[in-house]
Amino acid sequence: MTETVPAAPGTTASRTRRLHVVGGAILPLLILGVWQWISTSGLVPVSMLPSPAMVLSAAVDLTERGLYGQYIAISSQRVLLGFAFGAAIGLALGAVVGLSKLANILLAPTFGGIRAVPSLAWVPLLILWFGIGEESKIILIAIGAFFPVYTIVGSALRHVDAHLLEAGRAFGLHGIRLFTTVQLPAVVPSAVSALRLALAQSWLFLVAAELIASSMGLGFLLLDSGQNGRIDRIFLAIISLALLGKLTDSVLGVFEKWAIAKWA
């Protein structure tokens, strides 16, 4: 009778990763194929739907002129700075609101109303207060990053299992020790999910931020191309934003696995 040798854990994990990569590539490749067919079949004029080759040519042209890399670098810098500030403040205030009933009563209604303000509504106010420099752009992105983190972290802390808290207090844990030992591990998955949502929101707010007298960046490329009728560059800007958003989300996904393994 032969004995079955179980697969090594590393082998299983490797297969799972390959499956995710292959499975995740199916839909983009399908979209690319359909896009290529429609744009070259004459069903839709190229003035409305450029071919993938035209978009690639636009990327090459901007790269040769030294602009494409600059646009990506400047937009990425704005997003990461805005995300860092907004997420940090969101974590702090979310923790305060989640841990203090008084703070929740005082702050939650006001922040709930401010959260409903559209991103473009902040633009004229930020221009008046901070001018048309980088500060107003980064602050707008920070506003976009703040609310997902503040809302989710505050809610997660308010809904930590009461039995866990009672057990922690029974072991003599109070204050900071109770927070770091019981409450923080309980909300780590929610907090990291909030950070991923905030990062996505930061990319969404980038285009609104680059409405503020920008002459560089992917948001500027998108708006400038729309004004000049360069639909190939419009597609290039949209695809670039999508790829950068996915790349940064994947980095946070790696951090999420590490944080959950360490803290949760």
Side-chain angles (χ1 to χ4, degrees), residues 13-241:
S14 178
R15 288 176 179 172
T16 302
R17 283 194 296 269
R18 285 199 299 268
L19 181 61
H20 277 284
V21 171
V22 174
I26 292 175
L27 184 57
L29 290 174
L30 180 62
I31 292 173
L32 184 62
V34 173
W35 176 15
Q36 173 69 20
W37 175 74
I38 293 176
S39 62
T40 56
S41 65
L43 291 175
V44 179
V46 293
S47 60
M48 296 181 62
L49 182 66
S51 67
M54 294 173 62
V55 176
L56 180 60
S57 177
V60 171
D61 175 57
L62 288 174
T63 301
E64 290 177 345
R65 292 160 57 186
L67 295 175
Y68 189 42
Q70 289 183 21
Y71 289 168
I72 290 175
I74 289 172
S75 290
S76 299
Q77 177 179 286
R78 288 168 177 163
V79 165
L80 294 178
L81 286 174
F83 166 74
F85 287 121
I89 298 171
L91 284 170
L93 285 181
V96 170
V97 169
L99 295 172
S100 169
K101 292 183 179 179
L102 177 60
N104 183 44
I105 293 171
L106 293 175
L107 299 178
T110 300
F111 282 117
I114 297 174
R115 183 178 57 188
V117 177
S119 59
L120 290 177
W122 294 104
V123 171
L125 184 62
L126 291 175
I127 291 175
L128 287 174
W129 283 356
F130 301 101
I132 60 174
E134 288 298 300
E135 293 86 356
S136 54
K137 298 176 182 62
I138 292 171
I139 290 171
L140 180 58
I141 295 170
I143 291 172
F146 166 80
F147 284 105
V149 178
Y150 160 79
T151 304
I152 294 174
V153 170
S155 177
L157 282 170
R158 285 195 301 273
H159 294 92
V160 173
D161 191 343
H163 294 94
L164 286 176
L165 298 177
E166 290 176 7
R169 294 188 182 103
F171 282 97
L173 301 176
H174 298 280
I176 296 297
R177 290 185 64 200
L178 180 66
F179 174 73
T180 57
T181 307
V182 177
Q183 291 168 299
L184 179 60
V187 301
V188 162
S190 296
V192 179
S193 295
L195 291 174
R196 295 181 73 170
L197 181 59
L199 184 56
Q201 189 86 336
S202 298
W203 285 106
L204 294 176
F205 270 61
L206 172 70
V207 175
E210 291 184 340
L211 281 172
I212 306 175
S214 290
S215 59
M216 299 288 283
L218 292 173
F220 164 76
L221 175 63
L222 184 65
L223 297 169
D224 183 66
S225 300
Q227 293 171 355
N228 294 317
R230 291 297 304 268
I231 194 167
D232 53 343
R233 292 185 178 181
I234 292 175
F235 271 77
L236 175 62
I238 293 171
I239 293 170
S240 300
L241 289 168

